[in-house]
């Protein structure tokens, strides 16, 4: 590699790192402002929040600082060291899911929170990170067998993802996180192993079964009174199939979200001027925050959020493509799929293109666990990028010294 070419490569890597830092900071700050805007009224009028309009904003801000500290530290740690902890991280995540049985906190039909005295966090966020580490470890370890034993390796990766996904579904009753976990596993295996027919067949079967299940519900739609007695997951599908019919009950949240998006128009009502956040839109600061963004900042604000996310994903893609080894590449790939899947599903829910899932919008929705683990994942991506830069500089130094 020539000196000129290597210099350009190092400048390219440094520019990519700066872009990731910059866009992540912009997304988090933008998200914190929207959390305040969406939650200030509820917090100021609720004893649960000490009548403090900054209550949730302050907590989000503190978790952001903690997450950025972890992100900064991780970029200076050689990501290859994470291989040592892959099995331990995976088993620890499974243990945390099992601990939900005695120590889980149930909210709206799902045990997402693990409460261990002073420590409380969403288990699914930990599971996603640990699964990324473990899948990268498996692909790296069995890389030479991915071509000769394609089907076997595909099922091995699917099994690694299906176990935590199944436990989350059975123990936590968290279908949305299970879908993200399975989606990440499916996409990583699709990219890493050339078994397109197997992936296509399984995907087609899943789509057909899901369509038949939804159709079986659609042909026998319950009355609003009957729907209230159904399991909460079926209630969400029913509300999605005919939102207006259940507007006063099951479909209330989605309807209010659509009102918010529609009333925002092109330019929005102005930052802080949402009317839906005044107790009309449930969970305005959580999974429905995209609706508040569209109401206050209009179509322009919604498109801006999407473009920011695309820019971050593109920067992660560049690191994935230029990673020094397969392990680093799969790590970045997992982060890419995690953020993209969760973003697409959340926005689809907000525009009523998908049943309500409870998934948050990355970097924007309120949630300390979510923002911390997301920033940790970005820190791993930066480590992959930085290690690539160090190795490239080392090669250049050795070549110049030799000459």
């Amino acid at each position: 590699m020539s000196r000129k070419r290597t210099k350009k490569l190092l400048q390219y890597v440094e520019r990519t790192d700066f872009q990731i830092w910059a866009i992540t900071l912009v997304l988090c700050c933008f998200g914190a402002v929207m959390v305040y805007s969406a939650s200030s009224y509820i917090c100021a009028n609720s004893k649960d929040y000490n009548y403090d309009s900054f209550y949730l904003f302050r907590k989000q801000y503190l978790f952001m600082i903690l997450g950025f500290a972890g992100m900064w530290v991780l970029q200076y740690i050689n990501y290859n060291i994470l291989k040592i902890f892959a099995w331990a991280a995976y088993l620890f995540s499974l243990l945390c899911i099992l601990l939900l049985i005695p120590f889980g906190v149930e909210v709206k039909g799902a045990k997402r929170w693990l409460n261990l005295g002073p420590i409380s966090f969403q288990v699914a966020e930990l599971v996603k990170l640990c699964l990324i580490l473990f899948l990268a470890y498996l692909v790296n370890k069995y890389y030479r067998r991915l071509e000769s034993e394609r089907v076997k390796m595909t099922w091995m990766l699917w099994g690694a993802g299906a176990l935590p996904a199944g436990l989350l579904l059975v123990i936590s009753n968290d279908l949305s996180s299970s879908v993200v976990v399975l989606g990440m596993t499916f996409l990583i295996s699709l990219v890493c192993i050339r078994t397109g027919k197997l992936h296509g067949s399984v995907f087609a079967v899943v789509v057909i079964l899901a369509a038949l299940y939804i159709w079986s519900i659609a042909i026998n739609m319950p009355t609003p009174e009957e729907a209230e007695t159904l399991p909460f997951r079926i209630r969400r599908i029913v509300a999605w199939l005919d939102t207006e019919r259940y507007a006063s009950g099951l479909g209330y949240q989605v309807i209010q979200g659509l009102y918010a998006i529609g009333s925002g128009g092109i330019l929005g009502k102005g930052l802080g001027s949402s009317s839906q956040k005044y107790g009309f839109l449930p969970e305005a600061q959580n999974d429905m925050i995209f609706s508040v963004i569209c109401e206050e900042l209009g179509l322009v604000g919604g498109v801006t959020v999407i473009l920011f996310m695309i820019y971050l994903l593109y920067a992660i893609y560049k690191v994935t493509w230029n990673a020094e080894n397969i392990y680093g590449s799969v790590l970045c790939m997992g982060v890419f799929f995690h953020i993209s899947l969760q973003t697409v599903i959340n926005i689809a829910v907000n525009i009523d293109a998908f049943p309500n899932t409870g998934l948050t919008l990355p970097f924007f929705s309120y949630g300390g666990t979510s923002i911390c683990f997301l920033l940790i994942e970005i820190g791993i991506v930066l480590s992959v990028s930085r290690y690539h830069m160090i190795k490239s500089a080392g090669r250049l130094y050795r070549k110049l010294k030799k000459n």
Side-chain angles (χ1 to χ4, degrees):
M1 182 181 291
S2 67
R3 180 185 302 183
K4 185 177 180 181
R5 184 180 175 186
T6 303
K7 184 178 180 180
K8 286 184 177 180
L9 177 61
L10 297 180
Q11 290 173 344
Y12 174 80
V13 172
E14 289 176 346
R15 186 166 62 248
T16 301
D17 288 359
F18 172 78
Q19 290 170 348
I20 292 175
W21 264 104
I23 191 61
T24 302
L25 183 61
V26 168
L27 284 168
C28 287
C29 291
F30 190 1
V33 170
M34 293 313 304
V35 166
Y36 171 73
S37 179
S39 66
S40 58
Y41 175 80
I42 299 296
C43 290
N45 292 276
S46 174
K47 184 179 179 181
D48 295 336
Y49 303 117
N50 300 324
Y51 303 106
D52 179 4
S53 62
F54 286 91
Y55 185 89
L56 293 182
F57 169 79
R58 190 179 295 110
K59 289 187 68 176
Q60 185 80 347
Y61 177 76
L62 291 174
F63 278 113
M64 275 174 50
I65 298 238
L66 182 62
F68 272 114
M71 176 176 161
W72 183 81
V73 170
L74 276 170
Q75 72 172 340
Y76 293 107
I77 297 175
N78 189 334
Y79 67 93
N80 288 290
I81 296 175
L82 297 175
K83 295 177 190 176
I84 303 172
F85 307 102
W87 265 106
Y90 182 71
L91 294 175
F92 178 70
S93 67
L94 298 181
L95 175 62
C96 287
I97 300 175
L98 295 175
L99 287 174
L100 285 171
I101 298 175
F103 301 111
V105 178
E106 186 170 335
V107 179
K108 296 185 178 179
K111 281 188 176 182
R112 290 189 172 96
W113 289 88
L114 180 61
N115 190 358
L116 299 174
I119 301 175
S120 180
F121 62 95
Q122 277 191 305
V123 172
E125 302 303 324
L126 172 67
V127 169
K128 294 167 191 173
L129 171 61
C130 292
L131 181 63
I132 291 172
L133 298 178
F134 189 59
L135 290 176
Y137 165 80
L138 290 178
V139 172
N140 180 75
K141 181 177 181 179
Y142 298 105
Y143 182 68
R144 296 183 182 278
R145 295 168 58 183
L146 296 182
E147 183 67 27
S148 59
E149 302 177 39
R150 299 178 190 174
V151 176
K152 181 180 178 180
M153 292 297 102
T154 300
W155 283 107
M156 180 187 67
L157 294 184
W158 285 357
L163 181 55
L167 289 175
L168 281 173
L169 181 60
V170 173
I171 296 175
S172 177
N173 207 14
D174 189 355
L175 177 62
S176 55
S177 294
S178 298
V179 169
V180 172
V181 167
L182 288 175
M184 288 163 47
T185 305
F186 184 86
L187 291 171
I188 288 175
S189 63
L190 176 63
V191 173
C192 295
I193 309 175
R194 293 192 299 170
T195 49
K197 291 183 179 179
L198 177 59
H199 282 82
S201 301
V202 171
F203 181 75
V205 169
V206 170
V207 170
I208 291 171
L209 290 176
L212 289 174
Y213 179 67
I214 293 173
W215 177 76
S216 68
I217 297 173
I219 61 175
N220 190 26
M221 292 288 283
T223 63
E225 294 75 19
E226 293 172 341
E228 294 292 343
T229 64
L230 297 172
F232 87 100
R233 189 171 297 116
I234 297 179
R235 292 204 303 268
R236 289 181 173 182
I237 295 175
V238 165
W240 172 64
L241 289 171
D242 195 346
T243 308
E244 293 184 0
R245 183 180 183 182
Y246 306 98
S248 61
L250 302 178
Y252 179 79
Q253 185 185 41
V254 175
I255 283 288
Q256 295 302 319
L258 292 175
Y259 286 160
I261 294 173
S263 63
I266 301 297
L267 298 177
K269 296 178 177 179
L271 185 62
S273 301
S274 168
S275 58
Q276 291 298 316
K277 68 183 181 183
Y278 294 118
F280 298 106
L281 178 60
E283 304 296 334
Q285 73 277 8
N286 290 328
D287 44 309
M288 300 304 291
I289 199 167
F290 185 75
S291 296
V292 177
I293 293 172
C294 291
E295 183 181 10
E296 295 188 350
L297 304 178
L299 179 63
V300 172
V303 171
T304 299
V305 168
I306 294 172
L307 291 177
F308 279 163
M309 298 298 285
I310 291 174
Y311 188 85
L312 174 63
L313 291 170
Y314 174 66
I316 295 173
Y317 166 78
K318 289 194 293 185
V319 178
T320 304
W321 183 260
N322 291 300
E324 194 67 26
N325 53 45
I326 188 65
Y327 181 66
S329 183
V330 179
L331 282 175
C332 296
M333 197 185 302
V335 176
F336 179 95
F337 289 140
H338 173 205
I339 296 174
S340 56
L341 278 171
Q342 201 152 315
T343 300
V344 169
I345 293 174
N346 177 272
I347 294 176
V349 168
N350 277 258
I351 63 176
D352 201 23
F354 202 78
N356 200 333
T357 62
L359 277 178
T360 56
L361 180 62
F363 303 106
F364 285 88
S365 296
Y366 170 75
T369 308
S370 175
I371 195 69
C372 277
F373 280 110
L374 278 170
L375 291 176
I376 285 172
E377 290 180 13
I378 298 298
I380 293 173
V381 172
L382 288 170
S383 174
V384 174
S385 178
R386 184 174 181 273
Y387 182 70
H388 170 54
M389 180 177 67
I390 290 173
K391 289 200 71 173
S392 298
R395 283 198 299 267
L396 174 61
Y397 174 76
R398 287 191 296 271
K399 183 174 182 179
L400 292 176
K401 189 175 181 181
K402 183 178 179 180
N403 294 335

PDB file of all heavy atoms in Angstrom, residues 25-47:
ATOM      1  N   LEU A  25     -24.428  12.295  18.513  1.00  0.00           N
ATOM      2  CA  LEU A  25     -24.668  13.396  19.448  1.00  0.00           C
ATOM      3  C   LEU A  25     -25.898  14.198  19.039  1.00  0.00           C
ATOM      4  O   LEU A  25     -26.727  14.567  19.887  1.00  0.00           O
ATOM      5  CB  LEU A  25     -23.428  14.302  19.493  1.00  0.00           C
ATOM      6  CG  LEU A  25     -23.477  15.469  20.485  1.00  0.00           C
ATOM      7  CD1 LEU A  25     -23.633  14.949  21.911  1.00  0.00           C
ATOM      8  CD2 LEU A  25     -22.229  16.333  20.359  1.00  0.00           C
ATOM      9  N   VAL A  26     -26.028  14.457  17.747  1.00  0.00           N
ATOM     10  CA  VAL A  26     -27.199  15.201  17.252  1.00  0.00           C
ATOM     11  C   VAL A  26     -28.489  14.428  17.534  1.00  0.00           C
ATOM     12  O   VAL A  26     -29.478  14.999  18.007  1.00  0.00           O
ATOM     13  CB  VAL A  26     -27.059  15.479  15.740  1.00  0.00           C
ATOM     14  CG1 VAL A  26     -28.375  15.985  15.158  1.00  0.00           C
ATOM     15  CG2 VAL A  26     -25.956  16.500  15.485  1.00  0.00           C
ATOM     16  N   LEU A  27     -28.480  13.130  17.245  1.00  0.00           N
ATOM     17  CA  LEU A  27     -29.674  12.315  17.475  1.00  0.00           C
ATOM     18  C   LEU A  27     -30.056  12.295  18.954  1.00  0.00           C
ATOM     19  O   LEU A  27     -31.233  12.437  19.298  1.00  0.00           O
ATOM     20  CB  LEU A  27     -29.429  10.878  16.986  1.00  0.00           C
ATOM     21  CG  LEU A  27     -29.463  10.657  15.477  1.00  0.00           C
ATOM     22  CD1 LEU A  27     -28.928   9.267  15.129  1.00  0.00           C
ATOM     23  CD2 LEU A  27     -30.876  10.819  14.938  1.00  0.00           C
ATOM     24  N   CYS A  28     -29.076  12.124  19.831  1.00  0.00           N
ATOM     25  CA  CYS A  28     -29.364  12.065  21.274  1.00  0.00           C
ATOM     26  C   CYS A  28     -29.872  13.400  21.800  1.00  0.00           C
ATOM     27  O   CYS A  28     -30.827  13.437  22.592  1.00  0.00           O
ATOM     28  CB  CYS A  28     -28.115  11.640  22.042  1.00  0.00           C
ATOM     29  SG  CYS A  28     -27.698   9.891  21.844  1.00  0.00           S
ATOM     30  N   CYS A  29     -29.251  14.497  21.382  1.00  0.00           N
ATOM     31  CA  CYS A  29     -29.695  15.819  21.836  1.00  0.00           C
ATOM     32  C   CYS A  29     -31.078  16.144  21.295  1.00  0.00           C
ATOM     33  O   CYS A  29     -31.946  16.661  22.021  1.00  0.00           O
ATOM     34  CB  CYS A  29     -28.688  16.884  21.406  1.00  0.00           C
ATOM     35  SG  CYS A  29     -27.110  16.780  22.264  1.00  0.00           S
ATOM     36  N   PHE A  30     -31.301  15.851  20.034  1.00  0.00           N
ATOM     37  CA  PHE A  30     -32.616  16.027  19.419  1.00  0.00           C
ATOM     38  C   PHE A  30     -33.649  15.195  20.165  1.00  0.00           C
ATOM     39  O   PHE A  30     -34.738  15.666  20.521  1.00  0.00           O
ATOM     40  CB  PHE A  30     -32.537  15.624  17.947  1.00  0.00           C
ATOM     41  CG  PHE A  30     -33.754  15.965  17.127  1.00  0.00           C
ATOM     42  CD1 PHE A  30     -34.848  16.618  17.665  1.00  0.00           C
ATOM     43  CD2 PHE A  30     -33.793  15.615  15.778  1.00  0.00           C
ATOM     44  CE1 PHE A  30     -35.962  16.919  16.891  1.00  0.00           C
ATOM     45  CE2 PHE A  30     -34.892  15.904  14.999  1.00  0.00           C
ATOM     46  CZ  PHE A  30     -35.976  16.567  15.553  1.00  0.00           C
ATOM     47  N   GLY A  31     -33.290  13.957  20.457  1.00  0.00           N
ATOM     48  CA  GLY A  31     -34.197  13.068  21.172  1.00  0.00           C
ATOM     49  C   GLY A  31     -34.505  13.560  22.567  1.00  0.00           C
ATOM     50  O   GLY A  31     -35.648  13.510  23.029  1.00  0.00           O
ATOM     51  N   ALA A  32     -33.481  14.071  23.289  1.00  0.00           N
ATOM     52  CA  ALA A  32     -33.695  14.578  24.652  1.00  0.00           C
ATOM     53  C   ALA A  32     -34.639  15.774  24.648  1.00  0.00           C
ATOM     54  O   ALA A  32     -35.510  15.900  25.521  1.00  0.00           O
ATOM     55  CB  ALA A  32     -32.354  14.955  25.280  1.00  0.00           C
ATOM     56  N   VAL A  33     -34.484  16.652  23.662  1.00  0.00           N
ATOM     57  CA  VAL A  33     -35.383  17.804  23.545  1.00  0.00           C
ATOM     58  C   VAL A  33     -36.819  17.349  23.311  1.00  0.00           C
ATOM     59  O   VAL A  33     -37.770  17.880  23.916  1.00  0.00           O
ATOM     60  CB  VAL A  33     -34.918  18.734  22.399  1.00  0.00           C
ATOM     61  CG1 VAL A  33     -35.976  19.797  22.105  1.00  0.00           C
ATOM     62  CG2 VAL A  33     -33.594  19.389  22.748  1.00  0.00           C
ATOM     63  N   MET A  34     -37.000  16.337  22.463  1.00  0.00           N
ATOM     64  CA  MET A  34     -38.341  15.847  22.181  1.00  0.00           C
ATOM     65  C   MET A  34     -38.927  15.097  23.378  1.00  0.00           C
ATOM     66  O   MET A  34     -40.142  15.141  23.606  1.00  0.00           O
ATOM     67  CB  MET A  34     -38.320  14.936  20.950  1.00  0.00           C
ATOM     68  CG  MET A  34     -37.978  15.652  19.649  1.00  0.00           C
ATOM     69  SD  MET A  34     -38.892  17.201  19.363  1.00  0.00           S
ATOM     70  CE  MET A  34     -40.595  16.652  19.479  1.00  0.00           C
ATOM     71  N   VAL A  35     -38.083  14.424  24.155  1.00  0.00           N
ATOM     72  CA  VAL A  35     -38.562  13.780  25.386  1.00  0.00           C
ATOM     73  C   VAL A  35     -39.103  14.840  26.336  1.00  0.00           C
ATOM     74  O   VAL A  35     -40.176  14.667  26.939  1.00  0.00           O
ATOM     75  CB  VAL A  35     -37.432  12.968  26.058  1.00  0.00           C
ATOM     76  CG1 VAL A  35     -37.814  12.594  27.496  1.00  0.00           C
ATOM     77  CG2 VAL A  35     -37.146  11.696  25.268  1.00  0.00           C
ATOM     78  N   TYR A  36     -38.381  15.943  26.470  1.00  0.00           N
ATOM     79  CA  TYR A  36     -38.868  17.020  27.335  1.00  0.00           C
ATOM     80  C   TYR A  36     -40.179  17.596  26.810  1.00  0.00           C
ATOM     81  O   TYR A  36     -41.135  17.800  27.570  1.00  0.00           O
ATOM     82  CB  TYR A  36     -37.831  18.138  27.447  1.00  0.00           C
ATOM     83  CG  TYR A  36     -38.380  19.349  28.154  1.00  0.00           C
ATOM     84  CD1 TYR A  36     -38.603  19.326  29.530  1.00  0.00           C
ATOM     85  CD2 TYR A  36     -38.711  20.510  27.443  1.00  0.00           C
ATOM     86  CE1 TYR A  36     -39.141  20.424  30.189  1.00  0.00           C
ATOM     87  CE2 TYR A  36     -39.249  21.605  28.089  1.00  0.00           C
ATOM     88  CZ  TYR A  36     -39.466  21.555  29.457  1.00  0.00           C
ATOM     89  OH  TYR A  36     -40.016  22.637  30.099  1.00  0.00           O
ATOM     90  N   SER A  37     -40.211  17.860  25.515  1.00  0.00           N
ATOM     91  CA  SER A  37     -41.412  18.441  24.929  1.00  0.00           C
ATOM     92  C   SER A  37     -42.620  17.525  25.107  1.00  0.00           C
ATOM     93  O   SER A  37     -43.720  17.984  25.420  1.00  0.00           O
ATOM     94  CB  SER A  37     -41.187  18.716  23.437  1.00  0.00           C
ATOM     95  OG  SER A  37     -42.349  19.260  22.845  1.00  0.00           O
ATOM     96  N   ALA A  38     -42.412  16.217  24.930  1.00  0.00           N
ATOM     97  CA  ALA A  38     -43.529  15.271  24.993  1.00  0.00           C
ATOM     98  C   ALA A  38     -43.962  14.958  26.419  1.00  0.00           C
ATOM     99  O   ALA A  38     -45.112  14.565  26.655  1.00  0.00           O
ATOM    100  CB  ALA A  38     -43.148  13.971  24.278  1.00  0.00           C
ATOM    101  N   SER A  39     -43.045  15.125  27.392  1.00  0.00           N
ATOM    102  CA  SER A  39     -43.347  14.682  28.759  1.00  0.00           C
ATOM    103  C   SER A  39     -43.533  15.807  29.765  1.00  0.00           C
ATOM    104  O   SER A  39     -43.965  15.562  30.893  1.00  0.00           O
ATOM    105  CB  SER A  39     -42.226  13.762  29.260  1.00  0.00           C
ATOM    106  OG  SER A  39     -41.005  14.480  29.395  1.00  0.00           O
ATOM    107  N   SER A  40     -43.199  17.029  29.401  1.00  0.00           N
ATOM    108  CA  SER A  40     -43.187  18.124  30.375  1.00  0.00           C
ATOM    109  C   SER A  40     -44.548  18.351  31.023  1.00  0.00           C
ATOM    110  O   SER A  40     -44.631  18.571  32.247  1.00  0.00           O
ATOM    111  CB  SER A  40     -42.697  19.414  29.717  1.00  0.00           C
ATOM    112  OG  SER A  40     -43.521  19.750  28.609  1.00  0.00           O
ATOM    113  N   TYR A  41     -45.607  18.300  30.237  1.00  0.00           N
ATOM    114  CA  TYR A  41     -46.949  18.557  30.799  1.00  0.00           C
ATOM    115  C   TYR A  41     -47.352  17.465  31.785  1.00  0.00           C
ATOM    116  O   TYR A  41     -47.815  17.750  32.897  1.00  0.00           O
ATOM    117  CB  TYR A  41     -47.979  18.651  29.667  1.00  0.00           C
ATOM    118  CG  TYR A  41     -49.397  18.784  30.173  1.00  0.00           C
ATOM    119  CD1 TYR A  41     -49.890  20.012  30.599  1.00  0.00           C
ATOM    120  CD2 TYR A  41     -50.240  17.670  30.246  1.00  0.00           C
ATOM    121  CE1 TYR A  41     -51.193  20.132  31.087  1.00  0.00           C
ATOM    122  CE2 TYR A  41     -51.536  17.783  30.729  1.00  0.00           C
ATOM    123  CZ  TYR A  41     -52.004  19.014  31.146  1.00  0.00           C
ATOM    124  OH  TYR A  41     -53.280  19.118  31.630  1.00  0.00           O
ATOM    125  N   ILE A  42     -47.162  16.196  31.377  1.00  0.00           N
ATOM    126  CA  ILE A  42     -47.525  15.077  32.256  1.00  0.00           C
ATOM    127  C   ILE A  42     -46.706  15.122  33.539  1.00  0.00           C
ATOM    128  O   ILE A  42     -47.234  14.918  34.637  1.00  0.00           O
ATOM    129  CB  ILE A  42     -47.304  13.735  31.521  1.00  0.00           C
ATOM    130  CG1 ILE A  42     -48.198  13.653  30.272  1.00  0.00           C
ATOM    131  CG2 ILE A  42     -47.577  12.560  32.455  1.00  0.00           C
ATOM    132  CD1 ILE A  42     -49.674  13.651  30.568  1.00  0.00           C
ATOM    133  N   CYS A  43     -45.405  15.392  33.413  1.00  0.00           N
ATOM    134  CA  CYS A  43     -44.540  15.422  34.597  1.00  0.00           C
ATOM    135  C   CYS A  43     -44.917  16.569  35.528  1.00  0.00           C
ATOM    136  O   CYS A  43     -44.895  16.421  36.757  1.00  0.00           O
ATOM    137  CB  CYS A  43     -43.077  15.567  34.173  1.00  0.00           C
ATOM    138  SG  CYS A  43     -42.400  14.105  33.355  1.00  0.00           S
ATOM    139  N   ALA A  44     -45.244  17.725  34.951  1.00  0.00           N
ATOM    140  CA  ALA A  44     -45.569  18.889  35.775  1.00  0.00           C
ATOM    141  C   ALA A  44     -46.888  18.737  36.515  1.00  0.00           C
ATOM    142  O   ALA A  44     -47.138  19.462  37.490  1.00  0.00           O
ATOM    143  CB  ALA A  44     -45.618  20.138  34.896  1.00  0.00           C
ATOM    144  N   ASN A  45     -47.732  17.802  36.085  1.00  0.00           N
ATOM    145  CA  ASN A  45     -49.052  17.639  36.683  1.00  0.00           C
ATOM    146  C   ASN A  45     -49.249  16.275  37.337  1.00  0.00           C
ATOM    147  O   ASN A  45     -50.380  15.854  37.544  1.00  0.00           O
ATOM    148  CB  ASN A  45     -50.133  17.855  35.625  1.00  0.00           C
ATOM    149  CG  ASN A  45     -50.208  19.287  35.145  1.00  0.00           C
ATOM    150  OD1 ASN A  45     -50.842  20.128  35.747  1.00  0.00           O
ATOM    151  ND2 ASN A  45     -49.513  19.563  34.040  1.00  0.00           N
ATOM    152  N   SER A  46     -48.162  15.592  37.648  1.00  0.00           N
ATOM    153  CA  SER A  46     -48.265  14.264  38.248  1.00  0.00           C
ATOM    154  C   SER A  46     -47.400  14.166  39.497  1.00  0.00           C
ATOM    155  O   SER A  46     -46.224  14.558  39.491  1.00  0.00           O
ATOM    156  CB  SER A  46     -47.845  13.189  37.241  1.00  0.00           C
ATOM    157  OG  SER A  46     -47.804  11.915  37.845  1.00  0.00           O
ATOM    158  N   LYS A  47     -47.977  13.628  40.542  1.00  0.00           N
ATOM    159  CA  LYS A  47     -47.237  13.414  41.789  1.00  0.00           C
ATOM    160  C   LYS A  47     -46.122  12.395  41.592  1.00  0.00           C
ATOM    161  O   LYS A  47     -45.082  12.448  42.262  1.00  0.00           O
ATOM    162  CB  LYS A  47     -48.203  12.940  42.868  1.00  0.00           C
ATOM    163  CG  LYS A  47     -47.563  12.769  44.239  1.00  0.00           C
ATOM    164  CD  LYS A  47     -48.578  12.314  45.273  1.00  0.00           C
ATOM    165  CE  LYS A  47     -47.912  12.116  46.634  1.00  0.00           C
ATOM    166  NZ  LYS A  47     -48.899  11.655  47.656  1.00  0.00           N
TER     167      LYS A  47
END
